Amino acid sequence: TLERERSRREGRGLSCKDMKKGFLSGAKDGSSGKDASDSAESSSGPAPTKKRAEAPSSSSTQREAAEPSVNLSKQVPRFSLGPLRKSPVACLVLGMAGSGKTTLMQRIAVHIHNQKLPSYIINLDPAVSSVPYGCNIDIRDTVNYKQVMKEYELGPNGGILTSLNLFATKFDQVMGLIEQKADSLEHIFVDTPGQIEIFTWSASGTIISDMFAYSVPTALIYVVDTPRTTSPVTFMSNMLYACSIMYKFKLPFILVFNKTDVTSADFAIDWMTDYEKFQEAVQDEKAYAGTLSASMGLVLEEFYRNITTVCMSAVTGEGVEDLFDKIARAAEEYANVYRPMLEAKAEEKQKREAKATERRLQKMREQMAKVGGLDNIKAPKDEDEEDEEENEFKANPKGGFAAFEPDSDDLDDGEDDVEFANEAREGHAPLDLMEHLRIRQNAQRGDESDMDALNEILSNVNDGNVRID
């Protein structure tokens, strides 16, 4: 953690061009000699909060292309569903801006440190200035968010999305680090960007969530700002968004009502369990949104019945133990319900790929049968052979060709070729006709480009554009 902070103070980070050359290529020689995974037990708790150094201005010297403090140079294989064994539980923490997600991550870091639970913490927000907890892998060590905005001429949200997409292209290497310590880890907590739609509805979010889901038990933690949901309409908006996220990712879902030290979440639990109470609360809303919220309350009744809720305060720590109990239950739900679904999905995908491969092979067999097998497929000509043929067919001053002798293949193909050759020797055939003959010979040898040219000349003859003496 100290080494990563020192790296950021020195202004090291990867620009977009550096990522194109060698994304996540490994740590510098002067960086920490340990793999970040070696500090999983020691750094799982909160590290002393440090102020993040400002990046050098554009007028200063160019920032060196620095590799991340985590050594990600070792290539690892792609993950697939294997036999279920003891694995850490991955928790993807999502939440609206201002819901207290970062504070919740800090409380989680404090808890795993106090309880001595070896865990991994990953920060995926490239735009955050500082984080109040120690993270094992930080996207800011790899992607320079401001440089991404500058090079691609993007706004703040576009810069975050592009940075996350770049990081996701090599996320299998991050999974490789986790796999090395999987037997000794209890949890993996992933802090996502504050702009929730960037992770939820982007390709990078799907890639990252799928890689976790197909590797280890995975759950979603959706953080709700409780004081802001006291309005029935705002509450319904949050529930609809939570429902859409749950069905989009198809993973165990934990709904966390945060900031209960400011406003108790009892009203929200009552609205979720008793539709009549929600109906009474929404009656004061005279606008169309009130009527819609009342109708959606009935629609989401099944969602409320199967959802897991936690009421807690990230500031005081109240309810954090309940959160970890619900995470353990989510892991069991993953093993019993969601993993069989993922296995069936993976098996179906393999069958589709096998069928597609068989169709391509069958098509290749049919094409080979048409040409009579591999022996009749001629290799493409090299440049020297093409130059020799072109020299053979240079026209003489009379309009014919300087030297042309039809070979046995041409004679076998038809007597019309012989007539064309004889006319060429006597100088009666115009240049267009002899070009026709040359192209026809090459077409017979398998040159597709000359076959197209032959068809074009024949079309011109039929249209009367080419005169034959």
Side-chain angles (χ1 to χ4, degrees), residues 131-342:
V131 289
Y133 53 85
C135 47
N136 300 90
I137 297 177
D138 195 337
I139 188 176
R140 299 175 301 166
D141 294 332
T142 304
V143 183
N144 189 332
Y145 162 70
K146 293 184 178 180
Q147 191 69 17
V148 170
M149 291 177 58
K150 180 179 179 181
E151 290 190 16
Y152 287 97
E153 299 180 354
L154 300 171
N157 289 339
I160 296 175
L161 177 60
T162 304
S163 299
L164 191 61
N165 288 342
L166 291 170
F167 193 75
T169 58
K170 295 295 183 180
F171 201 79
D172 57 329
Q173 299 179 21
V174 177
M175 297 301 299
L177 292 176
I178 296 174
E179 179 68 11
Q180 294 173 11
K181 287 289 183 179
D183 295 334
S184 60
L185 294 178
E186 295 289 339
H187 303 92
I188 303 169
F189 292 97
V190 182
D191 190 6
T192 59
Q195 289 76 0
I196 185 173
E197 66 280 355
I198 290 178
F199 184 86
T200 305
W201 305 111
S202 67
S204 55
T206 302
I207 292 172
I208 294 173
S209 62
D210 285 350
M211 294 191 73
F212 275 116
Y214 280 90
S215 304
V216 296
T218 307
L220 300 175
I221 298 179
Y222 182 75
V223 185
V224 177
D225 187 352
T226 305
R228 297 291 299 274
T229 58
T230 54
S231 169
V233 175
T234 307
F235 171 81
M236 182 54 58
S237 300
N238 262 292
M239 295 302 103
L240 287 174
Y241 207 95
C243 183
S244 65
I245 292 175
M246 176 182 176
Y247 285 104
K248 194 265 183 186
F249 286 101
K250 296 182 177 64
L251 290 171
F253 194 85
I254 301 175
L255 185 64
V256 176
F257 288 99
N258 194 20
K259 304 181 182 180
T260 55
D261 58 314
V262 178
T263 302
S264 174
D266 294 340
F267 73 93
I269 302 299
D270 291 340
W271 288 351
M272 295 173 66
T273 56
D274 191 343
Y275 173 73
E276 298 297 333
K277 291 185 178 180
F278 180 74
Q279 186 72 15
E280 294 175 0
V282 83
Q283 285 180 354
D284 297 335
E285 298 288 342
K286 303 300 182 181
Y288 172 73
T291 305
L292 179 62
S293 299
S295 302
M296 295 306 299
L298 287 173
V299 175
L300 295 180
E301 197 168 0
E302 185 69 19
F303 169 71
Y304 295 152
R305 190 179 296 113
N306 295 280
I307 200 69
T308 300
T309 58
V310 176
C311 302
M312 66 170 295
S313 170
V315 174
T316 63
E318 179 185 1
V320 67
E321 294 182 357
D322 187 24
L323 173 62
F324 276 80
D325 291 339
K326 297 298 175 61
I327 291 175
R329 295 182 186 179
E332 297 178 359
E333 183 182 0
Y334 168 88
N336 299 329
V337 179
Y338 289 91
R339 184 178 175 84
M341 294 171 52
L342 293 173

Side-chain angles (χ1 to χ4, degrees), residues 411-423:
L411 294 175
D412 293 339
D413 290 336
E415 297 180 357
D416 53 347
D417 291 341
V418 180
E419 295 178 2
F420 292 155
N422 293 332
E423 291 179 359

Side-chain angles (χ1 to χ4, degrees), residues 106-122:
Q106 182 187 24
R107 177 55 57 183
I108 290 174
V110 171
H111 181 77
I112 62 179
H113 176 75
N114 294 336
Q115 300 297 323
K116 302 186 183 304
L117 300 174
S119 303
Y120 239 75
I121 297 181
I122 302 174

